[in-house]
Amino acid sequence: VKWFWFRVYESATNRIFPALFNGLRIFLGAFLLFSLSLGILLLLLVSVYKRGNGSGYRVLHHHYPIPMLWYFGNPFFRRQRHHQSANSPQNSSFFDDVFEFLFGPNAGKYPGPSEDQRWDNIRAVIDKSGGVVAAELIKPHLKYDVFEEKESLWMRKVVSRLGGEPIATDEGDLLYLFRGNSSTTPRDVNELIQGVFVENRWKFSSRPIKFSLALGLANFVALILIWNKLRSVGSTEMEDISLTSFLIALFGVLKLPLLVYAFLFLLIPLTRYLLLVKGFNHFIEKRNRYRRYLQDKLIKDLKDPSSSASKKFKRANKIALSQNNV
């Protein structure tokens, strides 16, 4: 039974989920094109109908379909789209651009580095320290806002995960021993300088967004305009025009999904931008700056023979050598 469910999970992970994801990506782009095409076509047909019924030639311009189409058809916009395509990833497509505009380059995943990479950095610090470290060496590699907590709280996680134990020196300092990493030679201060842990910032998109943004805005404006037009004109006045009548009936059925999609197409990226790019990135950069400050302070203290960090390093180095000789 376990084998059967494992095969089901493996199949879903490797085949079904990627297929559903790809289908969603295509659907979002195709629905945008369908919605925009329907809105602009209805604007044109209704405007032409009103002009033919004595409303005047200016009606077509007054309700904006021509300026909207001119924006997409003018040579400057085509050159901009060509320039964007040239700078896009090789396998980029319209559907990829739309999906990334909505959900970002990682679809909401943490931009990294991963937890495994962070713990690898901590292990490297311990290895370079000969298996005996002070908390000051670990602190620049912490991830979250635990910098103000007591040392025993955040070092407990490191000790528990990497199999260490706290030890007290005769001078009253607290060091941490990780067996299996003992040093056979004295460690130099410069060997302890390990690159500080830096969190990556959230990116709004790794692809050009102008084309997707223009389509989203045009779609929203077109749907709002045709909605107001049909409320003022009424579909019964155009029952003699079969195509227009059919499109109006189709819009009436899909009006709510179309308007909700058009609204969310602009709201989701705006929310991502304000929450992630402007909000979370501020705290990420604040933590990165603090880690760099801790690292710079540590380097300065280690090179000062009279500092407590330098004295701790000498004691830790001595303990590491003695542990290896036991």
Side-chain angles (χ1 to χ4, degrees), residues 110 112-113 143-144 197-201 284 287-288 291:
Y110 175 68
K143 183 178 179 181
Y144 297 111
F197 176 72
V198 178
E199 293 180 71
N200 294 332
R201 294 167 58 90
I284 288 176
R287 291 194 293 267
N288 287 338
R291 291 189 193 95

Side-chain angles (χ1 to χ4, degrees), residues 15 28 43 151 198 234 283 288 297 300-301 312-313:
R15 299 179 182 179
L28 291 173
L43 280 175
E151 174 184 322
V198 178
F283 296 104
N288 287 338
K297 183 176 182 299
K300 181 179 179 181
D301 290 344
K312 277 187 178 182
F313 163 70

Side-chain angles (χ1 to χ4, degrees), residues 49-174:
Y49 173 82
K50 292 186 69 176
R51 186 183 63 184
N53 282 270
S55 298
Y57 181 79
R58 293 186 303 168
V59 173
L60 192 63
H61 176 74
H62 177 70
H63 291 280
Y64 311 110
I66 288 300
M68 190 183 303
L69 291 176
W70 175 86
Y71 178 74
F72 292 106
N74 75 82
F76 173 77
F77 184 80
R78 288 199 300 268
R79 286 197 299 270
Q80 287 292 102
R81 178 59 180 165
H82 175 74
H83 175 71
Q84 292 176 2
S85 300
N87 294 329
S88 299
Q90 292 182 351
N91 296 326
S92 175
S93 68
F94 166 76
F95 302 107
D96 294 326
D97 292 344
V98 169
F99 189 85
E100 188 164 312
F101 176 74
L102 283 171
F103 303 110
N106 298 314
K109 295 180 181 179
Y110 175 68
S114 66
E115 276 291 281
D116 291 338
Q117 291 174 312
R118 187 171 72 90
W119 284 107
D120 287 342
N121 290 342
I122 294 177
R123 288 189 185 93
V125 172
I126 294 173
D127 290 341
K128 289 187 176 183
S129 302
V132 182
V133 296
E136 289 85 347
L137 291 174
I138 304 296
K139 200 170 185 179
H141 299 276
L142 299 179
K143 183 178 179 181
Y144 297 111
D145 297 322
V146 297
F147 304 118
E148 302 302 325
E149 293 183 357
K150 293 183 179 179
E151 174 184 322
S152 59
L153 295 178
W154 46 265
M155 277 303 297
R156 186 182 305 166
K157 297 179 181 179
V158 179
V159 169
S160 175
R161 175 155 182 158
L162 301 182
E165 59 180 281
I167 54 175
T169 65
D170 296 336
E171 293 78 7
D173 295 325
L174 187 60

Side-chain angles (χ1 to χ4, degrees), residues 20-302:
L20 291 176
F21 178 81
N22 190 54
L24 176 63
R25 180 178 59 85
I26 295 175
F27 169 78
L28 291 173
F31 196 77
L32 174 63
L33 293 178
F34 166 76
S35 177
L36 180 60
S37 302
L38 178 62
I40 292 180
L41 185 57
L42 273 173
L43 280 175
L44 288 171
L45 292 174
V46 174
S47 298
V48 170
Y49 173 82
K50 292 186 69 176
R51 186 183 63 184
N53 282 270
S55 298
Y57 181 79
R58 293 186 303 168
V59 173
L60 192 63
H61 176 74
H62 177 70
H63 291 280
Y64 311 110
I66 288 300
M68 190 183 303
L69 291 176
W70 175 86
Y71 178 74
F72 292 106
N74 75 82
F76 173 77
F77 184 80
R78 288 199 300 268
R79 286 197 299 270
Q80 287 292 102
R81 178 59 180 165
H82 175 74
H83 175 71
Q84 292 176 2
S85 300
N87 294 329
S88 299
Q90 292 182 351
N91 296 326
S92 175
S93 68
F94 166 76
F95 302 107
D96 294 326
D97 292 344
V98 169
F99 189 85
E100 188 164 312
F101 176 74
L102 283 171
F103 303 110
N106 298 314
K109 295 180 181 179
Y110 175 68
S114 66
E115 276 291 281
D116 291 338
Q117 291 174 312
R118 187 171 72 90
W119 284 107
D120 287 342
N121 290 342
I122 294 177
R123 288 189 185 93
V125 172
I126 294 173
D127 290 341
K128 289 187 176 183
S129 302
V132 182
V133 296
E136 289 85 347
L137 291 174
I138 304 296
K139 200 170 185 179
H141 299 276
L142 299 179
K143 183 178 179 181
Y144 297 111
D145 297 322
V146 297
F147 304 118
E148 302 302 325
E149 293 183 357
K150 293 183 179 179
E151 174 184 322
S152 59
L153 295 178
W154 46 265
M155 277 303 297
R156 186 182 305 166
K157 297 179 181 179
V158 179
V159 169
S160 175
R161 175 155 182 158
L162 301 182
E165 59 180 281
I167 54 175
T169 65
D170 296 336
E171 293 78 7
D173 295 325
L174 187 60
L175 301 174
Y176 298 88
L177 171 64
F178 296 84
R179 300 185 184 278
N181 298 280
S182 300
S183 177
T184 57
T185 57
R187 298 286 180 175
D188 184 73
V189 171
N190 293 325
E191 294 184 34
L192 296 180
I193 302 175
Q194 182 76 11
V196 66
F197 176 72
V198 178
E199 293 180 71
N200 294 332
R201 294 167 58 90
W202 288 92
K203 291 183 179 180
F204 183 80
S205 178
S206 61
R207 304 170 184 270
I209 66 170
K210 291 183 180 179
F211 188 64
S212 299
L213 177 60
L215 289 179
L217 289 172
N219 180 48
F220 184 78
V221 172
L223 292 178
I224 295 298
L225 288 176
I226 194 59
W227 183 38
N228 289 330
K229 263 178 169 290
L230 294 180
R231 289 175 60 188
S232 61
V233 174
S235 60
T236 57
E237 299 181 17
M238 294 177 288
E239 289 180 351
D240 55 322
I241 307 176
S242 58
L243 176 60
T244 306
S245 179
F246 169 75
L247 292 178
I248 290 175
L250 181 62
F251 179 79
V253 174
L254 299 177
K255 177 174 62 178
L256 182 59
L258 290 172
L259 290 173
V260 169
Y261 176 84
F263 178 71
L264 292 179
F265 190 87
L266 299 176
L267 178 64
I268 292 174
L270 178 62
T271 303
R272 282 199 309 107
Y273 178 76
L274 295 177
L275 184 63
L276 299 180
V277 178
K278 288 297 184 181
F280 286 3
N281 280 349
H282 169 74
F283 296 104
I284 288 176
E285 187 56 37
K286 183 178 178 181
R287 291 194 293 267
N288 287 338
R289 283 199 304 268
Y290 188 66
R291 291 189 193 95
R292 286 191 288 267
Y293 161 76
L294 290 175
Q295 188 78 341
D296 293 340
K297 183 176 182 299
L298 177 63
I299 294 172
K300 181 179 179 181
D301 290 344
L302 287 176

